[in-house]
Amino acid sequence: MAVRVRPLNHMEQNEVNCVRVMEGGMVVVLDPNKMEGGQEEDYLRQNRSREKRYAFDHAFDENASQHDIYMATTEKLLGGIMDGFNASCFAYGATGAGKTYTMLGNTSQPGCMVLTVGELFKRITSADSKAYRVYLTYLEVYNENIRDLLNPTTGYLDLREDPVKGICVAGITEFTTATVEETMELLHRGNLNRSVEPTKKNETSSRSHAVMQIMVEGKDKTPGLSESVRVGKLSMIDLAGSERASATDNRGARLVEGANINRSLLALGNCISSLGQQGGKGKFVPYRNSKLTRVLQESLGGNSLTAMLAALSPAASNYDETLSTLRYAARAKRSEEHTS
């Protein structure tokens, strides 16, 4: 569980910075109404603590690089993927907190997806004893509907449970890829088809959950009498922004989108909590409450590895959203501790 605090943007330069990153993965959030120059208007909150503390595995301030984030999160998942395990990495946070930048980055500062794919192919190239095949899918969950971002003409797709592949999306296009450049080209093409709309917080706000799944098939180059194939799946998810409707002035279609986004995020949180209780053994896990959790079922439960990155805005105007994000992340962290 990692937390990243982005710098104040051009619209927040005159605002108070209310988030502090301490050593040891500690994040402190100060109430802007109780900081110097602030005015507490709510009488019932006047005597409450002026700061809240949360502890995580890793906490990064605005000076952290994309490579620092990658090394603390997805780099640790690659070994398991090549050995046939499933893994997932989530970017969670409010609209405009820096989720998409952290996952995708830009040309000069590539994000976790780019760095992970690059390292994966580097390890595959250096593997002497095994031959690997890599293919990927890229989809979005928008208003509880699934759409193929690499082939959007197929329309909305259905989920199926295959006896061999497990949970899969019927009709989704699987692209075989052999280089980082091919993979990034597919990723860029898919992002152009993603559902984005302007909101008060972000002019290009992502209104859907984007899920890139990379499947790695590995087998021995010199098999014996029986050939065994191990398949590992890496799911990298750029979640849609989580915030109250009043924070973005959403109306009409945007309000419906926000309701579905929060519904799937709640379902994801409930699944993580259920899995954390006694390792999920003998406990009902509500995967079917959302298309998002159903798609990711095999990458959340069982012998899978999960990394979550919470993106925060330090601006005083985002104080409530920041607290909400930290509570969600702390809940996931507690579930992880119960599992271990």
Side-chain angles (χ1 to χ4, degrees):
M1 185 68 236
V3 172
R4 184 184 198 180
V5 182
R6 67 160 172 79
L8 295 171
N9 60 32
H10 66 281
M11 296 184 295
E12 302 166 344
Q13 290 301 316
N14 296 324
E15 294 192 35
V16 175
N17 187 324
C18 62
V19 179
R20 306 286 185 269
V21 176
M22 315 297 286
E23 294 182 357
M26 181 72 68
V27 179
V28 179
V29 185
L30 306 174
D31 189 337
N33 292 318
K34 295 181 179 181
M35 296 176 69
E36 184 177 355
Q39 294 182 353
E40 178 60 77
E41 298 178 357
D42 189 346
Y43 174 78
L44 297 177
R45 297 178 62 186
Q46 285 182 354
N47 295 322
R48 297 180 65 179
S49 173
R50 64 187 299 268
E51 68 177 35
K52 297 183 182 298
R53 293 175 176 261
Y54 299 88
F56 302 100
D57 297 311
H58 305 279
F60 300 95
D61 60 16
E62 61 273 11
N63 298 317
S65 67
Q66 297 279 62
H67 191 265
D68 293 335
I69 308 299
Y70 157 72
M71 291 299 294
T73 54
T74 53
E75 192 274 338
K76 299 178 180 179
L77 306 178
L78 287 173
I81 300 300
M82 297 181 69
D83 289 335
F85 291 93
N86 293 338
S88 56
C89 178
F90 298 90
Y92 177 87
T95 295
K99 302 182 302 299
T100 302
Y101 172 76
T102 298
M103 295 300 283
L104 296 174
N106 52 37
T107 306
S108 59
Q109 294 290 330
C112 285
M113 284 185 177
V114 181
L115 295 173
T116 303
V117 170
E119 179 62 23
L120 177 63
F121 280 109
K122 186 183 297 183
R123 296 190 185 188
I124 287 175
T125 303
S126 61
D128 298 327
S129 59
K130 289 187 177 182
Y132 291 95
R133 172 177 172 259
V134 181
Y135 56 98
L136 66 84
T137 62
Y138 197 26
L139 60 88
E140 73 171 2
V141 181
Y142 174 68
N143 278 344
E144 286 301 299
N145 293 308
I146 298 174
R147 197 165 67 100
D148 187 351
L149 289 176
L150 297 176
N151 190 11
T153 57
T154 55
Y156 293 137
L157 304 176
D158 294 326
L159 277 171
R160 296 285 186 268
E161 189 162 357
D162 188 272
V164 177
K165 293 184 177 181
I167 306 298
C168 60
V169 180
I172 196 167
T173 309
E174 294 180 348
F175 285 83
T176 301
T177 178
T179 65
V180 180
E181 290 72 23
E182 288 179 4
T183 307
M184 290 305 102
E185 193 278 328
L186 291 172
L187 193 59
H188 178 68
R189 189 204 310 177
N191 286 330
L192 295 177
N193 297 320
R194 191 174 176 187
S195 300
V196 296
E197 295 290 345
T199 67
K200 180 181 177 181
K201 292 289 184 181
N202 192 346
E203 293 182 359
T204 56
S205 174
S206 302
R207 310 309 295 164
S208 66
H209 308 297
V211 182
M212 180 182 74
Q213 293 187 312
I214 302 176
M215 277 65 70
V216 181
E217 291 185 357
K219 59 182 179 181
D220 294 331
K221 289 184 177 179
T222 55
L225 296 176
S226 60
E227 183 180 55
S228 62
V229 179
R230 291 183 176 182
V231 182
K233 181 191 296 183
L234 172 62
S235 301
M236 303 194 71
I237 307 97
D238 179 16
L239 296 170
S242 59
E243 67 278 312
R244 298 162 299 138
S246 59
T248 51
D249 288 341
N250 287 342
R251 299 291 185 273
R254 302 290 82 76
L255 188 63
V256 174
E257 289 170 353
N260 283 311
I261 288 170
N262 289 331
R263 171 188 170 187
S264 55
L265 291 176
L266 177 62
L268 176 61
N270 289 337
C271 285
I272 292 174
S273 294
S274 298
L275 289 166
Q277 296 175 16
Q278 298 179 350
K281 297 178 181 179
K283 177 76 176 179
F284 172 72
V285 183
Y287 291 117
R288 294 179 181 270
N289 285 0
S290 170
K291 292 284 183 67
L292 175 66
T293 50
R294 188 68 170 147
V295 166
L296 299 173
Q297 178 173 338
E298 295 175 339
S299 296
L300 287 173
N303 294 325
S304 59
L305 305 171
T306 302
M308 180 175 284
L309 175 69
L312 303 178
S313 165
S317 59
N318 295 319
Y319 174 72
D320 291 329
E321 281 70 37
T322 296
L323 277 184
S324 177
T325 299
L326 287 171
R327 291 190 189 107
Y328 191 98
R331 180 185 181 190
K333 173 63 178 169
R334 286 195 298 271
S335 299
E336 174 195 357
E337 291 171 349
H338 289 319
T339 304
S340 58

